[in-house]
Amino acid sequence: MLFYRLLSTKKLSYLLFPLMLLTVSLTGCEDSDTETETQLSIDQVKKNQGGWPRSIMTSKGLLTLQQAPKRIVSTSVTLSGTLLAINAPLVASGATMPNTSVASEQGFMRQWSAIAKERGLVPLYNTEPNAEAIIQTNPDLIIISPTGGDSAMKLYEQLKDIAPTLVIGYDNKSWMQLATIFGDILGLESQAQTVIQEFEKQVEQTKQTIQLPPQPTTAMVYYRDATGGNIWTSESAQGRLLEELGFTLASVPDSVKGDISMGIRNDIIIASGERFADAITGKTVLLFSAAKDREQDLKDNSYLKSSEAIQTNQVYAVGNDTFRLDYYSASNLLTRLTSLFGTKHDQQ
């Protein structure tokens, strides 16, 4: 069983409690049932014996849905990939900067942009959240991430009066954890489990195929201006997947930590300036959100010449689409790791 597979009550806090009849209506957090609130932890879902209504505890309180949503709007381009993977009725999504190495002309992630186009997904805005654009889509459920560059939390108070608004983070969850939570609250349990099982088979096959490079590994996103990087922790989706495959994440000295310019996050450690070299402690470096040309860019950084991974040429780019892991990009990542470290790697 995978580390982050969502079938163990010892590891997860959001599996269903004993089924109880919920009498609250489709509403926001201010009308939540007091007894249910005291029973549920963040991201736990509770369902009525007949399936509906069902509730989820969020950082903003209890959110209850009387029936399955039919018009979901995601303000987070990161969360949208997982919603698409479980075939949720997603009608619109926030987008990022269009026409880049990671995003299509609509600002959707390239790994799922074709699927988004096929399903008629509407881009709400590029980068900067826009409440009017969200309202115009007539949603019956709005989904917001509390952190990250695609967070629309500043609009929460406005949006929760328009439609039920679910606040759910991705900085401390794999896409599979998100898929299970979404499946439970949206009534798409079977779809979520099907796509998870397909991915689990790919993970196991990859684990059996690859020969790990020297450990431990520094997994990071290298800044384009070469001033530093964001290092994935074991709380990140990237870190969890690597650990499941057998990688050991390199530790980062406490002297490097402390930058919270992107908000308090569990998934990354920001290392920049003079502290950057001290953060690269792995014998191997995996460059996320990067194509192969970025390998040489890192090697050419004069501040990193003494780093062991640089000296031994153990630097590997794992793809432009790996900054935000969903079913599609995570599958692509496994394919690239197999290509880099498959059974023929030791013969290269």
Side-chain angles (χ1 to χ4, degrees):
M1 184 178 294
L2 295 180
F3 173 78
Y4 45 84
R5 185 177 181 183
L6 308 184
L7 298 177
S8 170
T9 56
K10 291 178 64 179
K11 296 178 180 178
L12 306 170
S13 63
Y14 45 77
L15 290 182
L16 304 180
F17 270 50
L19 299 176
M20 294 178 63
L21 179 64
L22 305 178
T23 56
V24 286
S25 62
L26 180 58
T27 181
C29 305
E30 62 274 13
D31 297 322
S32 59
D33 180 275
T34 302
E35 182 180 358
T36 302
E37 274 197 277
T38 60
Q39 292 179 337
L40 299 180
S41 299
I42 297 296
D43 297 332
Q44 280 188 321
V45 176
K46 190 177 190 179
K47 291 186 285 190
N48 177 272
Q49 189 172 4
W52 298 93
R54 54 187 67 187
S55 299
I56 183 171
M57 180 57 65
T58 78
S59 60
K60 288 292 186 178
L62 191 71
L63 179 72
T64 298
L65 303 179
Q66 285 285 1
Q67 58 190 12
K70 297 180 179 180
R71 294 186 58 81
I72 299 175
V73 167
S74 169
T75 63
S76 166
V77 72
T78 302
L79 296 175
S80 296
T82 299
L83 289 164
L84 287 171
I86 66 172
N87 203 25
L90 188 65
V91 298
S93 170
T96 187
M97 191 71 68
N99 295 311
T100 66
S101 60
V102 299
S104 68
E105 67 277 2
Q106 290 186 309
F108 292 149
M109 299 295 97
R110 289 193 180 277
Q111 65 265 25
W112 49 260
S113 61
I115 294 172
K117 185 176 182 179
E118 178 183 313
R119 297 186 187 175
L121 191 65
V122 175
L124 292 168
Y125 48 75
N126 297 115
T127 306
E128 185 61 28
N130 185 304
E132 291 185 4
I134 296 170
I135 294 171
Q136 288 176 3
T137 63
N138 191 31
D140 56 8
L141 179 67
I142 301 170
I143 299 178
I144 293 179
S145 169
T147 62
D150 56 354
S151 175
M153 278 302 294
K154 64 182 181 180
L155 299 180
Y156 173 79
E157 293 298 326
Q158 182 176 357
L159 296 178
K160 71 179 180 63
D161 293 331
I162 304 302
T165 300
L166 169 60
V167 178
I168 183 167
Y170 58 79
D171 62 334
N172 61 349
K173 302 179 185 68
S174 70
W175 72 263
M176 302 204 312
Q177 288 174 306
L178 288 168
T180 297
I181 295 171
F182 283 142
D184 286 342
I185 190 62
L186 302 177
L188 300 173
E189 296 93 334
S190 62
Q191 292 91 323
Q193 287 307 308
T194 295
V195 74
I196 287 171
Q197 290 168 6
E198 291 175 355
F199 184 73
E200 286 181 340
K201 292 178 182 178
Q202 188 180 2
V203 170
E204 187 59 31
Q205 182 179 7
T206 301
K207 186 175 182 179
Q208 294 176 3
T209 300
I210 62 175
Q211 177 178 318
L212 295 179
Q215 296 300 299
T217 295
T218 295
M220 60 178 288
V221 176
Y222 184 40
Y223 297 162
R224 283 288 170 182
D225 62 6
T227 61
N230 295 341
I231 300 177
W232 299 118
T233 72
S234 59
E235 292 296 314
S236 68
Q238 290 81 353
R240 291 183 180 204
L241 179 53
L242 289 176
E243 289 182 330
E244 175 59 31
L245 292 169
F247 287 82
T248 299
L249 296 184
S251 60
V252 177
D254 290 338
S255 60
V256 175
K257 304 174 184 178
D259 187 339
I260 57 172
S261 59
M262 297 175 65
I264 299 176
R265 296 180 61 174
N266 299 317
D267 58 338
I268 62 170
I269 295 172
I270 301 173
S272 59
E274 297 178 354
R275 302 183 302 174
F276 183 43
D278 295 333
I280 311 301
T281 62
K283 294 182 178 180
T284 292
V285 172
L286 296 184
L287 296 177
F288 284 70
S289 190
K292 188 172 180 58
D293 62 303
R294 292 292 282 161
E295 295 175 3
Q296 192 59 49
D297 292 341
L298 186 76
K299 296 174 187 177
D300 290 341
N301 189 313
S302 59
Y303 294 102
L304 303 180
K305 288 183 177 180
S306 62
S307 298
E308 182 173 352
I310 303 297
Q311 293 180 342
T312 58
N313 201 35
Q314 295 291 330
V315 178
Y316 305 93
V318 294
N320 283 323
D321 61 357
T322 51
F323 180 69
R324 295 179 171 94
L325 284 192
D326 49 45
Y327 167 72
Y328 308 101
S329 58
S331 295
N332 291 344
L333 173 59
L334 292 178
T335 298
R336 295 189 189 102
L337 290 175
T338 299
S339 177
L340 289 168
F341 309 122
T343 53
K344 295 183 179 180
H345 175 66
D346 58 340
Q347 302 174 9
Q348 295 179 357

